[in-house]
């Protein structure tokens, strides 16, 4: 379909993301970046079109649109600032701050953990991490059960659309920033009331054969 070959760019996300980046710039830097920023959306549309072979399903279409904005912004910042490390830091902050602000509703949407029943954390994660992930992220991500029992829910992801997209576009250094988004919900789940311990000992972005998501049941606070 035409809509799947040209991944859409989400206007609300673009506005929020670029605002988050702009807030980290000094006045002088912002003035320099204004010119480069004007081309971000156009560049992102071109990148998305060039990456359309990765768009295997509607979920992939959305994530390619998202990734294209991130990549176009990174290129723009790197050129404007002349500092790759700072550009990456700014991307990370612009992406993680909104998630931190909405972490409780995110935990419910992603894992099915209700705010009034955090002690069901492990059960909900065990039931929903893979199934909801496959719906939200689509065929560009491949989930494989590793260990599943009454105290462990270990799932490996041996294919990651983000990893493929950024490597294909010559910017593998961005993928760990998206991996860092998992740290936001992991920090929330580390609170004792959830009764969950999370570990991720390996990642595809780090050169390993899979991202290993390992959830272990602990003693909930209540």
């Amino acid at each position: 379909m035409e809509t799947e070959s040209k991944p859409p760019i989400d206007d609300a996300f673009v506005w929020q993301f670029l605002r988050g980046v702009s807030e980290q710039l000094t006045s002088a830097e912002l003035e320099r970046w204004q010119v480069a920023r004007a081309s971000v959306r156009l560049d992102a549309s071109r990148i998305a079109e060039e990456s359309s072979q990765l768009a295997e399903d509607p979920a992939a279409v959305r994530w390619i649109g998202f990734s294209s904005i991130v990549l176009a912004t990174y290129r723009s910042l790197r050129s404007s600032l002349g500092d790759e490390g700072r550009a990456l830091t700014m991307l990370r902050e612009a992406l993680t701050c909104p998630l931190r602000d909405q972490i409780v509703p995110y935990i419910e949407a992603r894992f099915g953990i209700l705010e009034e029943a955090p002690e069901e954390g492990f059960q909900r994660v065990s039931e929903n991490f893979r199934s909801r992930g496959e719906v939200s992220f689509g065929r560009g991500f491949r989930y494989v059960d590793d260990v599943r029992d009454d105290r462990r829910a270990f799932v490996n992801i041996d294919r990651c659309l983000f990893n493929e997209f950024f490597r294909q576009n010559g910017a593998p250094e961005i993928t760990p920033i998206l991996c860092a988004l998992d740290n936001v919900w992991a920090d929330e789940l580390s609170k004792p009331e959830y009764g969950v311990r999370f570990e991720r000992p390996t990642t595809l972005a780090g050169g390993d054969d899979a991202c290993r998501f390992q959830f272990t049941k602990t003693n909930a606070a209540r």
Side-chain angles (χ1 to χ4, degrees):
M1 295 175 59
E2 181 72 10
T3 55
E4 294 188 9
S5 65
K6 295 183 178 180
I9 305 299
D10 185 281
D11 289 337
F13 167 72
V14 173
W15 180 84
Q16 182 182 57
F17 178 58
L18 293 181
R19 185 184 67 171
V21 169
S22 297
E23 288 173 349
Q24 300 175 67
L25 294 166
T26 66
S27 297
E29 290 170 339
L30 183 58
E31 185 175 348
R32 290 199 307 271
W33 191 52
Q34 293 288 2
V35 176
R37 188 177 71 171
S39 66
V40 164
R41 185 183 294 276
L42 182 61
D43 291 343
S45 295
R46 177 183 51 78
I47 293 167
E49 177 66 17
E50 292 172 352
S51 304
S52 60
Q53 77 280 2
L54 295 173
E56 299 181 17
D57 59 11
V61 168
R62 295 192 301 273
W63 289 118
I64 290 171
F66 162 87
S67 300
S68 297
I69 282 290
V70 173
L71 177 57
T73 303
Y74 170 62
R75 289 174 174 173
S76 174
L77 279 174
R78 187 177 58 184
S79 174
S80 177
L81 299 175
D83 186 337
E84 178 180 303
R86 182 144 181 258
L88 290 169
T89 298
M90 293 174 69
L91 291 184
R92 177 170 178 160
E93 188 68 11
L95 289 169
T96 56
C97 278
L99 181 56
R100 282 194 217 104
D101 292 342
Q102 297 294 319
I103 192 58
V104 172
Y106 179 84
I107 287 290
E108 180 174 347
R110 178 65 182 89
F111 301 109
I113 303 172
L114 300 179
E115 186 174 4
E116 61 270 23
E119 70 280 0
E120 297 177 358
F122 176 78
Q123 180 182 348
R124 299 294 169 242
V125 168
S126 182
E127 291 171 348
N128 297 321
F129 176 72
R130 175 176 178 172
S131 61
R132 293 195 180 191
E134 288 176 334
V135 171
S136 297
F137 292 98
R139 292 195 300 272
F141 296 78
R142 186 164 56 230
Y143 291 72
V144 180
D145 284 331
D146 186 5
V147 178
R148 179 75 64 88
D149 57 32
D150 60 353
R151 298 198 66 84
R152 296 173 298 173
F154 292 4
V155 180
N156 300 336
I157 296 179
D158 63 11
R159 182 191 178 193
C160 169
L161 178 63
F162 298 139
N163 188 53
E164 294 177 10
F165 174 90
F166 289 111
R167 287 187 184 279
Q168 175 179 296
N169 284 284
E173 64 271 23
I174 296 180
T175 309
I177 293 175
L178 300 186
C179 297
L181 294 175
D182 294 335
N183 297 337
V184 179
W185 56 253
D187 287 344
E188 176 68 16
L189 288 183
S190 71
K191 295 177 180 179
E193 58 264 33
Y194 291 101
V196 179
R197 184 176 73 250
F198 171 70
E199 297 174 291
R200 189 182 55 195
T202 65
T203 64
L204 290 163
D208 299 294
D209 62 341
C211 301
R212 289 175 167 81
F213 289 79
Q214 301 180 345
F215 301 91
T216 303
K217 184 176 183 179
T218 63
N219 293 322
R222 61 184 177 91

